[in-house]
Amino acid sequence: MRLREIYSKLENCPKVSFEVFPPKETTDYSTLITELENLKKFNPSFISLTYGAGGKNNNSPELIKLISQNGFSVMPHFTCICSTKEFVFDHIRSLENSGIENILALRGDVPDDKSLCCNDFKFANELVNFIKSNSNLSVGVAGYPEGHIEAKDLKTDILNLKKKIDAGAECIFTQLFFDNNRFFSYLEQVRHSGIDVPVVAGIMPILSKNQINRMTKLANITIPKELNEKIEKYQHNPKDLQKFGIEFGIKQCSELVQSQVSGLHFFTLNKSESSYKILENIL
Ligand code: FAD
């Protein structure tokens, strides 16, 4: 089902999706598939599969096919900063030929070694435009409730977000956030800018202090003071921290569901347990 249909279908419960990354340095995907199987009962709209995140870890046609064969719809991510138009053309053609309907179109982080960048795509709106002109894929894009780290301010970032929607993107998937008020305020500003596509909330279950610190520093995400104190308190006891993370996730997601959020997109880090326990309590 295409993104537009997924998020326009009227249902009592929110649409749920799970993000995973291709396991590094292995072609044994059995652990990942088992984790995904655990989440099947929540009837995910799709599994999204990262591309090139943290280096060269691209999603492969084999992994996309395997996840599909296990009964899931797949939304592969794609980053364009280091790609030529020819490569993107072939890539999207091959995705369509394998039955993929949706793609998350990203610029990707600018690599330290700038010589790796191609000049064919500078920003994600150019990629969205190219995909819409050359395929029938339904396109999602990234949004940043606290502003993208390179953006001058949130207002400018939302103006740039609008360029992606004007180029044909049908849905926005947000960066993770821990303060719902920031998401609500973002949503208001996004709507005010004239963007009317669904905005799906990015949720990252808390698993470890290091992981949260790394992510939040990289992307400039606020950890509310009270949350930070709890993370500090449980930092040396992974089980307690995970349990607390689940309780926090239940509260965060319940409030989002009450606000009639379009969807919840879980950054699972390839682990199902916390997402499972959060969803079990709110659906
Ligand atoms: P853009 O939308 O191009 O924005 C990048 C910056 O440029 C912003 O500051 C924006 O304000 C500005 N800008 C945008 N358009 C213009 C324009 N036309 N003119 C001037 N300025 C402009 N990374 C990966 O490597 N792999 C993944 O699989 C991945 N998945 C992600 C999934 C989600 C849900 C999210 C939120 C992020 C993901 N990322 C991933 C991270 C993403 O690649 C980085 O945040 C990257 O730095 C920006 O990508 P973008 O598509 O948002 O870029």
Side-chain angles (χ1 to χ4, degrees):
M1 199 185 288
R2 297 166 67 82
L3 289 172
R4 199 187 293 276
E5 295 165 56
I6 292 171
Y7 295 105
S8 64
K9 226 169 128 198
L10 284 176
E11 277 164 2
N12 288 333
C13 50
K15 312 295 181 312
V16 172
S17 51
F18 301 108
E19 180 172 313
V20 295
F21 58 83
K24 288 184 191 127
E25 288 157 21
T26 177
T27 46
D28 177 4
Y29 300 131
S30 53
T31 310
L32 176 62
I33 296 298
T34 307
E35 294 294 320
L36 289 177
E37 287 290 340
N38 293 340
L39 295 167
K40 222 174 205 169
K41 87 168 213 184
F42 302 109
N43 199 18
S45 303
F46 51 83
I47 303 302
S48 93
L49 189 55
T50 64
Y51 185 95
K56 293 182 183 142
N57 199 19
N58 293 344
N59 51 52
S60 65
E62 293 74 31
L63 183 53
I64 293 173
K65 192 168 165 200
L66 182 66
I67 299 176
S68 305
Q69 281 169 343
N70 278 274
F72 299 98
S73 172
V74 182
M75 177 175 77
H77 299 195
F78 182 75
T79 58
C80 62
I81 186 86
C82 299
S83 300
T84 60
K85 284 189 176 166
E86 289 74 20
F87 179 83
V88 179
F89 186 84
D90 291 345
H91 184 74
I92 56 180
R93 191 50 51 88
S94 115
L95 288 177
E96 274 195 307
N97 288 341
S98 59
I100 295 297
E101 293 182 299
N102 304 315
I103 187 167
L104 186 63
L106 300 146
R107 182 200 68 180
D109 290 328
V110 179
D112 293 338
D113 178 359
K114 303 249 180 341
S115 72
L116 295 172
C117 295
C118 279
N119 288 325
D120 282 5
F121 301 96
K122 277 214 167 102
F123 297 108
N125 64 298
E126 296 160 23
L127 175 65
V128 177
N129 189 32
F130 187 83
I131 296 174
K132 294 310 287 182
S133 308
N134 290 287
S135 77
N136 277 319
L137 290 167
S138 187
V139 180
V141 289
Y144 303 85
E146 301 187 48
H148 182 261
I149 192 141
E150 290 164 33
K152 188 175 83 170
D153 50 37
L154 185 56
K155 197 171 164 207
T156 313
D157 201 32
I158 292 175
L159 288 175
N160 289 327
L161 175 66
K162 183 143 192 315
K163 293 179 189 158
K164 301 195 264 193
I165 307 306
D166 291 344
E170 291 163 40
C171 186
I172 296 161
F173 293 88
T174 78
Q175 182 56 279
L176 65 102
F177 58 92
F178 294 111
D179 180 350
N180 282 351
N181 287 331
R182 288 186 185 261
F183 175 79
F184 297 139
S185 154
Y186 178 67
L187 195 55
E188 213 175 287
Q189 294 176 69
V190 165
R191 296 292 176 240
H192 188 69
S193 76
I195 295 174
D196 63 358
V197 304
V199 179
V200 177
I203 303 296
M204 178 169 281
I206 298 163
L207 290 175
S208 91
K209 182 185 166 189
N210 286 349
Q211 160 238 329
I212 293 297
N213 282 353
R214 201 176 53 246
M215 295 293 304
T216 51
K217 262 201 199 104
L218 271 176
N220 204 14
I221 296 158
T222 308
I223 309 181
K225 190 167 164 278
E226 279 177 22
L227 175 61
N228 201 36
E229 283 167 6
K230 294 279 192 212
I231 295 175
E232 296 278 328
K233 180 174 170 194
Y234 298 124
Q235 62 175 309
H236 300 302
N237 190 332
K239 277 280 151 212
D240 284 353
L241 182 59
Q242 184 180 7
K243 190 164 168 265
F244 166 73
I246 292 165
E247 284 161 15
F248 181 85
I250 292 170
K251 274 198 211 125
Q252 183 183 19
C253 292
S254 303
E255 194 180 32
L256 291 166
V257 170
Q258 267 171 24
S259 79
Q260 300 191 317
V261 69
S262 295
L264 298 172
H265 183 69
F266 284 83
F267 302 108
T268 67
L269 299 178
N270 294 6
K271 294 188 168 71
S272 61
E273 190 181 354
S274 292
S275 304
Y276 185 101
K277 290 193 169 151
I278 292 170
L279 284 169
E280 195 182 30
N281 274 276
I282 61 159
L283 294 183

